[in-house]
Amino acid sequence: MAEEMKNATAKITAEPTPANSVPNPMENEVFAKLTEYGLGRLDALKIMEDLGVESLEDLASLEVSDLTGAGMKLAKARKLVAELKNASKPAPAVAAAETRAIQTQFESLLPSIPTDDSWLNALKTGGILKVDESSYIAAIRAALADRAGLYAIPDALAKAMEKYADETEEQVDPTFYALRKSLTRRAYGDIFAAIDGLDGTFITEARRKEFLSRIRETLWPAIAESYRTLDGWYQTWRASFSDPSMLIAAISGGFGGGAAGMSMITPPDTAQLHDAGDTLVDSINRVFRGTGVQVAAAMAYDANTIRNTLEDPRLPSMVGVKNREMMLKKIGASVSSNYVRLEQNLVKYVLAFAKHDTVTSDVEVNYFVALWQLGTQINWGELGGGDVAGMTGLTGKRVL
């Protein structure tokens, strides 16, 4: 066999190839790639012939053991496989173009989230009397605050402020008392004014713990599962485009524009996404059973107060540090530095998914593509869920 291969090679290299004859295998891109990584010409031709490798795509399907078995050095084989695997992934420029196309075309389809002021006004004017958008936002904010360890900060920070005052043997600044009050008070007169007989004393520690237990057992799993379903749907549709540029053209409406562009290749059935949305809505409603609406409102109000107070520039100096990040690190807080952005994206994601049944059929594919793109901006690893690692905050400590 070796002698025949040598003769074949000699004949190919000695005689020019007529235009209508079989192409010279040594001019093949596969042959060039194999020899580039140190494989001999005969071994390269043997791989091409015995394993049926005719293109770089075929070559990418081989394992390291296939290459080493044909005589390639282990280190070279690993590098070649890694190169081919990476080449098969969408280039960063393509991925960036895809993201821009989605943002440009469909982001406006998703519902906008209210500002803090308008959200608080909704609670104060009776929004807590029923489960509505303000209640959904309250539940998500309370859930994230619990997951990030935000509720533990007021007590830890108040103790650190007092300790620093003792260490420096100085009188505390008068603002200490005002800041401490804003961090530790639990007065809900404004948001409970719409319900006669309801005040802050109703929000006991037992009710808080019960509500957070519902959040951890019911809401978080439903949120995580909704994104797994959405990502699976989008990746299935995306894989149907052999050329990444076709996907971008479809998203951008390059072939017919808008919905016509999206229908170049029929997307997978969206029934599974509507099922996931129904499950998410059911989970949120179960969290609100009994007095859940009122407890969620109170806890979200607390989280909002704590978050805003932590932005006060006077706080770090009261614990003897230069900035907010050092302050959180000193008290051992595990609040992620991108907390505000994470909260905004999560609130918008859940609200948008919860409104899946209001989306008309002519735009639902665009809507879910935009929702998927929003989901990619959420660090699901920080949020945890299932076998995902727990949220790691600024100090490197695990929250979950």
Side-chain angles (χ1 to χ4, degrees):
M1 176 67 182
E3 188 64 29
E4 292 176 359
M5 292 295 294
K6 288 181 180 178
N7 293 337
T9 303
K11 185 176 181 179
I12 290 169
T13 55
E15 300 176 3
T17 303
N20 60 350
S21 66
V22 178
N24 187 342
M26 288 190 291
E27 295 178 357
N28 186 287
E29 59 181 354
V30 175
F31 181 86
K33 182 63 67 175
L34 290 171
T35 54
E36 175 188 337
Y37 277 84
L39 203 59
R41 294 193 298 176
L42 293 178
D43 290 332
L45 290 171
K46 185 173 179 9
I47 283 183
M48 294 169 63
E49 180 178 339
D50 293 353
L51 301 183
V53 179
E54 299 177 351
S55 65
L56 290 180
E57 185 177 352
D58 293 338
L59 187 59
S61 67
L62 299 183
E63 301 294 337
V64 172
S65 58
D66 297 324
L67 297 171
T68 55
M72 185 177 288
K73 299 294 185 182
L74 178 60
K76 295 287 188 181
R78 286 177 174 171
K79 288 182 179 179
L80 174 57
V81 169
E83 177 192 327
L84 294 173
K85 297 292 186 188
N86 289 333
S88 65
K89 297 178 180 178
V94 173
E98 179 184 344
T99 298
R100 286 194 300 272
I102 295 174
Q103 289 176 332
T104 301
Q105 295 293 318
F106 309 133
E107 191 172 14
S108 60
L109 292 173
L110 301 181
S112 58
I113 59 175
T115 63
D116 283 353
D117 288 341
S118 58
W119 170 69
L120 287 172
N121 285 334
L123 292 182
K124 293 176 182 179
T125 57
I128 62 167
L129 291 172
K130 61 183 182 301
V131 178
D132 58 8
E133 185 174 282
S134 64
S135 298
Y136 272 50
I137 295 173
I140 300 163
R141 285 184 163 179
L144 185 59
D146 171 56
R147 182 62 53 102
L150 194 66
Y151 294 123
I153 289 180
D155 186 57
L157 192 55
K159 290 178 179 177
M161 292 162 69
E162 292 188 52
K163 182 179 180 182
Y164 181 68
D166 289 340
E167 291 174 350
T168 57
E169 298 182 353
E170 295 181 359
Q171 293 285 328
V172 295
D173 188 281
T175 57
F176 162 82
Y177 299 104
L179 290 172
R180 185 178 184 281
K181 180 180 179 181
S182 66
L183 283 167
T184 58
R185 70 177 179 179
R186 290 180 176 175
Y188 311 111
D190 289 341
I191 61 173
F192 288 157
I195 302 178
D196 185 33
L198 180 61
D199 57 33
T201 61
F202 181 79
I203 311 300
T204 63
E205 194 61 29
R207 288 192 171 95
R208 288 170 174 270
K209 290 181 177 179
E210 164 63 19
F211 177 75
L212 291 177
S213 176
R214 298 178 190 177
I215 290 286
R216 295 164 189 164
E217 295 174 4
T218 304
L219 182 56
W220 280 122
I223 293 175
E225 182 59 30
S226 74
Y227 182 69
R228 279 192 287 268
T229 303
L230 179 62
D231 185 55
W233 173 86
Y234 182 77
Q235 296 303 338
T236 298
W237 182 65
R238 182 180 184 178
S240 63
F241 290 88
S242 57
D243 183 351
S245 63
M246 291 179 63
L247 171 65
I248 296 172
I251 292 173
S252 302
F255 292 80
M262 290 293 288
S263 62
M264 289 173 54
I265 295 180
T266 304
D269 187 7
T270 58
Q272 59 182 317
L273 302 180
H274 289 287
D275 289 343
D278 289 340
T279 299
L280 180 60
V281 171
D282 290 343
S283 298
I284 296 176
N285 289 337
R286 283 200 296 274
V287 166
F288 285 133
R289 67 182 184 271
T291 59
V293 173
Q294 288 71 41
V295 177
M299 297 194 69
Y301 186 82
D302 284 343
N304 199 59
T305 300
I306 295 168
R307 192 190 68 188
N308 291 335
T309 304
L310 288 177
E311 300 299 328
D312 193 305
R314 297 170 296 179
L315 277 176
S317 63
M318 292 186 176
V319 296
V321 296
K322 296 180 179 180
N323 54 47
R324 177 179 178 274
E325 286 69 27
M326 294 177 67
M327 175 185 72
L328 293 174
K329 186 176 292 186
K330 181 172 182 177
I331 65 175
S334 296
V335 177
S336 175
S337 56
N338 69 339
Y339 182 89
V340 173
R341 179 175 176 79
L342 182 62
E343 180 188 85
Q344 291 175 341
N345 286 338
L346 186 64
V347 166
K348 187 170 185 176
Y349 172 86
V350 174
L351 284 182
F353 220 136
K355 293 181 178 182
H356 70 96
D357 59 347
T358 66
V359 181
T360 56
S361 59
D362 58 322
V363 298
E364 69 169 359
V365 171
N366 302 7
Y367 186 89
F368 285 124
V369 169
L371 186 57
W372 173 85
Q373 198 277 332
L374 174 62
T376 63
Q377 299 176 37
I378 298 173
N379 190 332
W380 298 99
E382 285 190 356
L383 294 177
D387 56 357
V388 182
M391 181 175 181
T392 301
L394 186 65
T395 61
K397 292 185 177 181
R398 182 175 171 177
V399 176
L400 300 182

